[in-house]
Amino acid sequence: HVSPAQHETRGTISDAADFDPTADAETLYNAMKGIGSDKEAILDLVTARSNAQRQEIIGAYKCSFGKDLIEDLKYELTGKFERLIVSLMRTPAYLDAKEIHDAVKGVGTNERCLIEILASRDNKQTQDMVAAYKDAYGRDMEEDIITDTSGHFKKMLVVLIQGTRDESGVVDADLVQQDAQDLYEAGEAQWGTDEAKFIMILGNRSVTHLRMVFDEYEKVAEMSIEDSIKNELSGDFERLMLAVVQCIRSVPMFFAKRLYKAMKGLGTADNTLIRIMISRSEIDMLDIRECFRLRYEKSLYNMIKDDTSGDYKRTLLNLCGGDDDLAGEFFPEAAQIAYKMWELSAMTKVQLRPTIRPASDFDPAADAQALRKAMKGFGTDEDTIIDIVTQRSNAQRQEIRQTFKSLLGRNLMKDLKSELSKNLERLIIGLMMTPAEFDAKMMKKAIEGAGTDEHALIEILVTRSNEEIQAMNSAYQSAYNTSLEEDIQSDTSGHFCRILVSLVQVGTIFSHKNSDCVHFPHPLIGCKSDDMEMKFMSILCTRSFPHLRRVFQEFVRHTNKDIEQIIKKEMSGDVKHAFYAIVRSVKNQPSYFADRLYKAIKGLGTDDRALIRIMVSRSEIDLFNIRKEFKEAHDVSLHEFIQVETMIVSPSPCLLTLFCAYVLFSSLCFWTFFRVAFDSHSEHATAHSSSAAVVGYGNL
């Protein structure tokens, strides 16, 4: 990886040959003369000149016509296109200064803009920006930011504004170890967080030094520095420190993520899109394009093309510089990042965190009586049912089931089915089943009836451990008097059928928990199309996850290709979906589930079965991690997303039932308010229980 200062040759905009500022000034003048303006001539000229050349054009325009070019452009152009062209005419320092000024002026602060700019600029860029701010507004940038921000977020911004990060490139191995140990002791090793230590180290050490510190930290803490920051910090301070770490690792990847978030979903964050496309066009846009393709399997060019329109789109596409094909090969920067991503995945031991834990002072008899009371007489006390079921672990629920029968002589599951309906019934019954029973039922639902839910089959079989698959097989046989393997074979075909059968068998063959040695050259490398799917199946469906992480890492090194791209390009249909799910799950299983939840909820209608399946099955395993990944990927909490989507799409006759379902989902997401409040170690958290609950809620 290389620092921002070293990316000068990786831009898409460079000095135009045979440059004549006077001729360009005349061209622009003629384009704006008379009624209307020739927008195409303006955008073609402006995007074909470097920023330094544009400054010469501004001077030549004033000399030739006695007018201010920027003022004329503002007068002739409108909307987003005007903002884009005018911003291109400003120097990088003055553009950054204006963005910072706009972020802090008026009511409210655009914290994400402050984070993006101050986390990504090198010392000279920062110092030039501070000077430009003083010149343009007659004010001190540091004072304005201090006035508009607070706490540790403010302190870290002030450190970054100084533009004094070590850029010597000299690395002291002893200091690397010391910094890694200090960061560990400042966070994961103690109750509470020493934020000042994080600020001092991450705000001042050199890029090269910090990359080595992050590697050393993973050995000490057995988790990535990013995961520790997510565990230890919160709010804008957490977002800022994560941005700093991402920029230390790879500035192009940081901006690729920012661009994606600016364009995905409904609406476009045009200010962010304009700012990044301009500021990186002469520095590292080629690397950003490659990182974008690596992460999102779509070219930046095509996403801009799909998300914008008119002259605004044409200008952005000129800055982007071209469409990248999907061959799966990388420029050096992106190949290094892909290799490092798999290395991180292989080295990091993620602490899986549930949202449902065993209740203390558990009394199954009292719970059984309370549930019976909630279902007796006219109407059903759904709140009581929800509160009890979502505040007990699955093992405790099984005790309640048994006690309900022995104490009251009734079948709790039948009573619940008769009293509840629709989504709420499905949720509560799913929670009352054992995990194996629930998985078996979900597999049966995916297979039976007209059509097969291939995505559900893939999701379950790819993400379950050996023990879970074996237990599910037994539960399926017991519940339906047939083997799961036989039903899969009768309902699917071809390579997809073989993949599923292999995954069902793997529980009795290979262990997901122990890695065997990685030997190369690997069969994946140099596969021919005729037997590629069989070779992929023989490896992806049988090897342990730790082994596969190393395989995918070495695959990048040997071929300069990413395994995900190969699957997307060379395969199709359910086979592609199955292999892709395996790779995603191997890389980051909580992220895979977060993506599945997003797809289940977004758009018209909700895939309630997928939503229920994931929320129920992961609540005692890694739903907390899934929540974190969801927030990071989509800039909205899972709680908010479920609330908005399930309420909006609900027809009025079903409103009460779906509201109850929403409350239950909320319980699953947030049944650790107190723990989250203290785990996050927010500087605003207090020992008062109600405050802790509010802080925990607010952080999610």
Side-chain angles (χ1 to χ4, degrees):
H1 308 301
V2 287
S3 65
Q6 294 172 285
H7 271 279
E8 294 173 2
T9 60
R10 300 295 296 157
T12 51
I13 304 294
S14 58
D15 287 340
D18 302 322
F19 171 59
D20 184 343
T22 303
D24 285 350
E26 185 174 352
T27 299
L28 290 173
Y29 179 79
N30 290 332
M32 293 184 282
K33 193 169 60 173
I35 299 174
S37 54
D38 186 348
K39 297 181 179 67
E40 188 171 328
I42 294 170
L43 74 88
D44 283 343
L45 189 148
V46 170
T47 57
R49 306 292 184 268
S50 68
N51 189 272
Q53 290 175 332
R54 291 181 210 125
Q55 304 315 307
E56 290 189 55
I57 295 171
I58 291 173
Y61 192 90
K62 183 166 282 189
C63 288
S64 298
F65 306 106
K67 302 180 72 176
D68 187 297
L69 175 56
I70 289 181
E71 290 303 316
D72 279 2
L73 289 168
K74 286 181 179 178
Y75 179 79
E76 291 290 334
L77 308 177
T78 58
K80 295 177 287 190
F81 180 57
E82 180 236 314
R83 291 208 307 271
L84 178 54
I85 294 296
V86 168
S87 295
L88 277 163
M89 299 307 298
R90 293 193 170 99
T91 66
Y94 278 84
L95 178 59
D96 279 350
K98 183 180 188 303
E99 292 294 309
I100 294 289
H101 183 258
D102 290 348
V104 297
K105 74 176 182 180
V107 179
T109 305
N110 186 346
E111 291 87 0
R112 293 176 193 273
C113 175
L114 297 179
I115 290 169
E116 176 200 302
I117 293 174
L118 293 175
S120 63
R121 301 315 192 243
D122 63 23
N123 289 348
K124 186 177 187 308
Q125 290 168 334
T126 303
Q127 292 160 6
D128 289 348
M129 171 181 61
V130 170
Y133 192 96
K134 183 76 171 178
D135 181 61
Y137 305 107
R139 301 175 60 85
D140 187 84
M141 180 189 288
E142 181 178 329
E143 290 179 5
D144 282 357
I145 286 178
I146 288 173
T147 301
D148 220 55
T149 58
S150 62
H152 297 301
F153 178 59
K154 173 184 71 178
K155 294 172 189 172
M156 185 62 178
L157 290 176
V158 169
V159 168
L160 295 173
I161 288 169
Q162 306 313 305
T164 54
R165 183 181 296 281
D166 177 15
E167 293 183 344
S168 66
V170 177
V171 176
D172 181 337
D174 291 336
L175 185 59
V176 166
Q177 290 189 332
Q178 185 62 53
D179 281 351
Q181 190 64 40
D182 286 349
L183 287 171
Y184 178 66
E185 292 175 358
E188 294 292 340
Q190 68 174 22
W191 180 256
T193 307
D194 182 358
E195 290 90 350
K197 185 66 70 175
F198 276 82
I199 291 171
M200 188 276 289
I201 294 174
L202 295 183
N204 292 281
R205 301 287 196 252
S206 73
V207 170
T208 306
H209 174 91
L210 284 174
R211 285 176 185 155
M212 296 178 69
V213 169
F214 298 161
D215 290 342
E216 188 64 29
Y217 183 88
E218 285 159 23
K219 299 174 186 175
V220 174
E222 295 190 336
M223 68 171 62
S224 69
I225 187 69
E226 290 93 337
D227 285 336
S228 288
I229 288 172
K230 291 173 191 176
N231 290 341
E232 300 295 325
L233 310 178
S234 63
D236 291 323
F237 183 45
E238 175 191 351
R239 281 188 279 273
L240 174 58
M241 299 305 267
L242 285 173
V244 169
V245 170
Q246 288 168 10
C247 288
I248 293 297
R249 291 200 187 277
S250 169
V251 171
M253 181 59 82
F254 170 75
F255 281 115
K257 292 178 182 177
R258 288 285 294 158
L259 285 168
Y260 179 76
K261 289 179 180 179
M263 289 183 281
K264 75 175 183 67
L266 294 174
T268 302
D270 292 295
N271 286 343
T272 301
L273 183 57
I274 290 169
R275 182 173 59 245
I276 297 173
M277 294 302 294
I278 292 174
S279 66
R280 310 315 294 185
S281 61
E282 295 185 42
I283 300 174
D284 54 5
M285 185 56 69
L286 289 173
D287 290 322
I288 291 170
R289 276 166 39 183
E290 279 298 296
C291 291
F292 194 96
R293 189 186 69 174
L294 165 67
R295 187 167 182 88
Y296 302 111
E297 293 88 47
K298 182 175 185 176
S299 71
L300 176 59
Y301 186 96
N302 278 323
M303 190 148 187
I304 292 171
K305 189 176 178 181
D306 293 342
D307 211 62
T308 59
S309 61
D311 296 315
Y312 177 58
K313 174 173 76 174
R314 286 200 57 208
T315 309
L316 290 171
L317 292 178
N318 284 357
L319 294 175
C320 183
D323 188 10
D324 302 302
D325 62 46
L326 294 180
E329 295 185 11
F330 297 126
F331 290 133
E333 169 78 7
Q336 290 177 40
I337 293 169
Y339 186 85
K340 185 65 177 178
M341 284 168 63
W342 283 115
E343 184 176 54
L344 282 172
S345 180
M347 291 176 59
T348 304
K349 294 183 179 178
V350 178
Q351 179 187 355
L352 298 182
R353 300 173 68 183
T355 52
I356 301 292
R357 299 176 185 276
S360 57
D361 302 322
F362 172 58
D363 184 344
D367 284 347
Q369 294 280 13
L371 287 172
R372 177 60 185 151
K373 182 179 178 182
M375 293 184 283
K376 277 178 69 175
F378 181 74
T380 304
D381 184 354
E382 292 166 342
D383 288 342
T384 295
I385 296 172
I386 291 169
D387 287 342
I388 292 174
V389 172
T390 60
Q391 295 177 26
R392 306 293 183 267
S393 68
N394 190 274
Q396 290 174 332
R397 292 183 211 123
Q398 303 316 309
E399 288 190 57
I400 295 171
R401 281 176 67 178
Q402 185 61 45
T403 304
F404 197 89
K405 179 170 283 188
S406 60
L407 194 65
L408 304 170
R410 301 177 66 88
N411 186 308
L412 176 56
M413 301 292 269
K414 287 184 178 179
D415 282 2
L416 288 169
K417 287 179 181 178
S418 69
E419 293 292 329
L420 305 175
S421 63
K422 297 185 178 178
N423 281 334
L424 182 58
E425 179 210 334
R426 297 186 189 105
L427 269 166
I428 295 294
I429 294 300
L431 285 163
M432 293 304 302
M433 290 178 164
T434 67
E437 289 171 341
F438 182 68
D439 279 347
K441 182 179 179 181
M442 291 298 100
M443 291 294 287
K444 186 67 173 177
K445 290 288 185 184
I447 293 171
E448 70 181 1
T452 304
D453 187 347
E454 291 86 357
H455 289 289
L457 298 177
I458 292 168
E459 174 202 300
I460 294 170
L461 292 177
V462 162
T463 59
R464 299 312 190 250
S465 69
N466 295 339
E467 293 78 10
E468 289 167 336
I469 289 175
Q470 289 170 331
M472 176 179 64
N473 281 332
S474 297
Y476 195 96
Q477 180 73 49
S478 176
Y480 306 112
N481 295 316
T482 183
S483 76
L484 176 57
E485 180 182 338
E486 289 174 359
D487 279 0
I488 288 173
Q489 288 176 327
S490 67
D491 210 60
T492 59
S493 61
H495 285 313
F496 181 58
C497 175
R498 295 187 187 99
I499 291 168
L500 297 182
V501 169
S502 179
L503 290 170
V504 169
Q505 298 298 318
V506 78
T508 60
I509 303 173
F510 290 94
S511 170
H512 280 237
K513 300 191 181 294
N514 299 312
S515 175
D516 49 337
C517 296
V518 182
H519 298 290
F520 282 92
H522 202 278
L524 280 178
I525 297 171
C527 279
K528 302 296 183 182
S529 57
D530 56 348
D531 64 349
M532 179 179 286
E533 290 182 357
M534 291 303 294
K535 286 190 175 180
F536 267 58
M537 185 178 75
S538 69
I539 296 167
L540 269 63
C541 296
T542 62
R543 305 296 198 264
S544 70
F545 277 19
H547 178 93
L548 286 174
R549 291 186 186 104
R550 292 297 185 189
V551 170
F552 300 153
Q553 182 184 3
E554 291 300 315
F555 188 82
V556 174
R557 186 167 68 86
H558 280 253
T559 68
N560 203 39
K561 300 174 189 283
D562 182 63
I563 194 72
E564 293 181 37
Q565 285 288 344
I566 296 299
I567 291 169
K568 299 271 279 189
K569 183 174 184 290
E570 300 292 339
M571 300 179 187
S572 61
D574 295 325
V575 170
K576 178 180 75 173
H577 295 147
F579 287 146
Y580 187 68
I582 292 172
V583 173
R584 285 290 312 278
S585 191
V586 168
K587 182 183 285 185
N588 184 336
Q589 197 165 92
S591 174
Y592 167 72
F593 278 117
D595 185 56
R596 290 282 298 145
L597 282 170
Y598 181 77
K599 290 175 179 175
I601 302 168
K602 74 167 186 174
L604 294 174
T606 301
D607 184 350
D608 295 303
R609 186 170 289 173
L611 185 55
I612 292 169
R613 181 175 63 246
I614 297 171
M615 297 294 287
V616 170
S617 65
R618 310 314 295 183
S619 60
E620 291 187 54
I621 301 173
D622 56 1
L623 188 52
F624 185 93
N625 306 78
I626 293 168
R627 254 173 36 204
K628 284 283 190 180
E629 294 290 343
F630 193 97
K631 180 72 179 286
E632 184 173 334
H634 304 293
D635 276 340
V636 62
S637 72
L638 180 55
H639 170 270
E640 292 174 77
F641 203 62
I642 290 172
Q643 180 180 16
V644 171
E645 294 294 331
T646 57
M647 294 301 287
I648 287 176
V649 301
S650 307
S652 54
C654 302
L655 192 59
L656 180 59
T657 298
L658 286 176
F659 176 73
C660 290
Y662 152 65
V663 171
L664 178 52
F665 283 135
S666 301
S667 300
L668 288 170
C669 278
F670 291 97
W671 176 243
T672 42
F673 287 164
F674 296 95
R675 179 176 178 81
V676 171
F678 289 108
D679 279 353
S680 65
H681 307 320
S682 167
E683 63 186 287
H684 302 297
T686 70
H688 193 275
S689 61
S690 62
S691 297
V694 171
V695 170
Y697 190 94
N699 286 345
L700 295 169

